[in-house]
Amino acid sequence: MTGDELVAEAGGLDAGDPLASFRNEFVAAEPNLVYADGNSLGRLPKAAVELAHDLVTRQWGERLIRGWNDDWLDLPERMGAKIAGLIGADPDEVIIADSTTVNLFKLSVAALQARPGRTGIVSDDLNFPSDLHSLAQSAQLLGQGHELDVVESQDGISVAAASIAEVVSAETALVCLSHVVFKSGFRHDLRELTEVAHRRGALMLWDLSHSVGSVPIDLHAADVDLAVGCTYKYLNGGPGAPAFLYVRRDLQEQLSNPLAGWMGRASMFDFDLSYEPAAGMRRFLTGTPAVLSLAMMEPGLDLVAAAGIDRLRQKSIALCEFFVRLWRSELEPLGYRLQSPLDPGQRGSHLSLGHDDGLAIDLALIEELAVIPDFRAPDNIRLGFAPLYTSFADVAELASRLSQVVVEGRQAKYRVSYRRSTSRPTVT
Ligand SMILES: *Cc1c(COP(=O)(O)O)cnc(C)c1O
């Protein structure tokens, strides 16, 4: 395909895109930048700029401690309710607190304690390392002989549901997986694997960090017990924005928060020395929330809700399929390997390309060609297609710059520098 044909086709796809105008709701400080990392840090909504000003100058500056009564105290539930609408949960089943890792720790310990006598925890090696660290620590901390069984992927891209089903047994207390895995973008079947856990009497805990905001999720339909997830990726909540946790209503009173604190106590302002957990999801709170970050997630959540998760998913598939076609015709001949499932039904909204020169290419794209992908060892150039603001023109431009790097041999310089020096940036 010639460059002109490609531009024309992308232009046609953008013209027919019902979500095209959402791009204008985000700050785009560098018009030439191709941002392919919305799965790691979503863009800044313009409305969040205004809100930040109001939060700091009026809410904090003028209202001072009265802000807690105005809005701050209710924020964990109010933002949680907005997320509930995106994941097929009821508003009172989701709350915002801490980070994803901390929430995973809280819910995994709570789940293990709710299944006494069972010592198995099942996950897979495509899961996010932080999740596995946290699960291993939960197992050790309880001192009851819990063991983490990590199912291995055969191809580094996917794990078959049957391989997980094989190791879930009557000893299993908890199955914990990432819905969409962070490296390859492979998507587990939420309903099928939840059923696998339930059939053996285990609880199921899903990490939705890489799917929420880009893939329709129906926790009720899948009868999911527990879930956690991130708000700074496809939800555009801002760097380090706090995370959410979901507990199915009938389980809420059965589970206890291993990180008990005053924010999760019934009538917290009694300052009573005894701990009585609050009713409902508030019991999963620990200490004072990061109000500024928590409040800042609202504009991003509202944009995702306005776009509608079904339309976002449709566009996400179209963006990825467009890219896969360009990969086949332009990039595969240059040594790029697709390290993600080919079937869109088995993917989230990002794709990984492997290349023998992966890291050097990643660095050349960032330094010289105004492309921001990210890199996940050993050789994955990870490309996020955040459907809320990524255009088909971006996808065409991305493919053409990926091609340009290799055709012009621009990676050579970086191959040397990262091997020899400390110039490799910490975040790539
Ligand atoms: C991004 C991500 C996290 C992030 O966890 P933090 O505690 O916010 O650092 C956790 N799990 C998965 C699967 C992720 O993709």
Side-chain angles (χ1 to χ4, degrees):
M1 196 180 321
T2 68
D4 285 349
E5 283 166 355
L6 185 55
V7 168
E9 180 171 0
L13 289 166
D14 281 325
D17 170 16
L19 300 182
S21 65
F22 279 91
R23 189 179 175 84
N24 303 325
E25 304 295 330
F26 290 86
V27 172
E30 295 168 68
N32 185 44
L33 182 73
V34 176
Y35 190 60
D37 216 357
N39 59 314
S40 212
L41 177 65
R43 278 189 183 270
L44 168 64
K46 287 177 182 165
V49 178
E50 310 264 310
L51 176 60
H53 188 259
D54 179 71
L55 271 167
V56 173
T57 57
R58 187 185 62 81
Q59 296 190 39
W60 179 10
E62 295 171 22
R63 296 298 293 158
L64 291 165
I65 203 159
R66 292 169 289 191
W68 285 106
N69 292 328
D70 295 346
D71 183 41
W72 300 344
L73 209 54
D74 296 331
L75 277 171
E77 283 148 313
R78 201 161 70 71
M79 294 305 117
K82 290 194 178 212
I83 288 175
L86 302 174
I87 59 177
D90 285 335
D92 60 356
E93 291 177 312
V94 181
I95 203 158
I96 310 288
D98 310 303
S99 70
T100 304
T101 311
V102 172
N103 290 335
L104 192 104
F105 175 79
K106 288 184 188 178
L107 292 190
S108 62
V109 170
L112 297 179
Q113 288 177 324
R115 285 291 178 276
R118 292 171 173 247
T119 52
I121 306 170
V122 174
S123 189
D124 67 28
D125 69 350
L126 298 181
N127 204 348
F128 195 61
S130 191
D131 294 30
L132 297 177
H133 304 330
S134 171
L135 290 171
Q137 188 62 26
S138 303
Q140 205 196 350
L141 190 77
L142 284 171
Q144 293 163 16
H146 286 95
E147 277 184 27
L148 175 60
D149 197 346
V150 180
V151 177
E152 283 178 19
S153 164
Q154 297 305 304
D155 58 2
I157 294 177
S158 62
V159 172
S163 316
I164 290 167
E166 247 170 54
V167 302
V168 177
S169 74
E171 301 290 301
T172 308
L174 177 67
V175 181
C176 177
L177 297 165
S178 284
H179 183 204
V180 168
V181 309
F182 79 108
K183 261 189 207 172
S184 69
F186 170 70
R187 181 161 59 98
H188 278 301
D189 190 318
L190 204 76
R191 188 198 281 253
E192 185 182 356
L193 284 163
T194 303
E195 238 180 71
V196 162
H198 287 174
R199 223 179 291 137
R200 297 301 201 141
L203 289 165
M204 182 75 220
L205 168 53
W206 285 104
D207 186 335
L208 306 174
S209 293
H210 256 91
S211 55
V212 65
S214 67
V215 174
I217 296 167
D218 194 337
L219 296 182
H220 279 178
D223 198 25
V224 170
D225 304 301
L226 308 162
V228 295
C230 191
T231 63
Y232 50 77
K233 293 172 178 165
Y234 294 108
L235 297 181
N236 311 299
F244 64 88
L245 40 83
Y246 156 89
V247 180
R248 206 181 53 223
R249 188 181 291 104
D250 61 293
L251 283 173
Q252 291 172 11
E253 309 293 315
Q254 296 174 34
L255 299 186
S256 53
N257 179 357
L259 292 177
W262 73 310
M263 283 276 156
R265 191 180 169 278
S267 43
M268 56 182 284
F269 289 109
D270 286 356
F271 297 102
D272 197 277
L273 297 189
S274 66
Y275 179 79
E276 172 80 26
M281 288 303 288
R282 277 199 88 88
R283 68 178 51 205
F284 296 102
L285 300 182
T286 299
T288 305
V291 170
L292 300 182
S293 282
L294 174 52
M296 285 282 284
M297 74 174 63
E298 188 162 19
L301 292 178
D302 288 345
L303 287 169
V304 170
I309 197 69
D310 291 326
R311 289 199 300 176
L312 286 166
R313 174 63 177 163
Q314 264 178 20
K315 181 172 172 191
S316 149
I317 292 175
L319 291 166
C320 292
E321 287 296 274
F322 185 39
F323 183 82
V324 168
R325 243 183 61 215
L326 298 175
W327 162 71
R328 254 197 214 298
S329 61
E330 319 291 323
L331 303 176
E332 195 176 18
L334 297 174
Y336 287 104
R337 302 177 288 272
L338 185 67
Q339 298 186 159
S340 296
L342 261 177
D343 171 9
Q346 291 192 359
R347 291 197 304 248
S349 201
H350 67 279
L351 297 169
S352 279
L353 290 185
H355 195 287
D356 293 347
D357 253 348
L359 180 55
I361 289 173
D362 178 79
L363 294 174
L365 286 167
I366 295 169
E367 295 296 322
E368 299 188 11
L369 292 178
V371 176
I372 302 187
D374 64 19
F375 186 79
R376 291 294 177 267
D379 66 342
N380 291 287
I381 301 166
R382 202 173 59 153
L383 307 166
F385 298 86
L388 203 46
Y389 48 73
T390 304
S391 65
F392 290 88
D394 285 334
V395 175
E397 197 52 44
L398 176 64
S400 105
R401 295 185 200 180
L402 279 159
S403 158
Q404 187 190 350
V405 177
V406 174
V407 168
E408 296 175 1
R410 287 181 186 241
Q411 75 276 22
K413 185 167 135 194
Y414 298 91
R415 210 186 284 149
V416 175
S417 72
Y418 79 74
R419 283 199 187 137
R420 254 206 340 225
S421 72
T422 54
S423 70
R424 181 183 167 185
T426 313
V427 175
T428 50

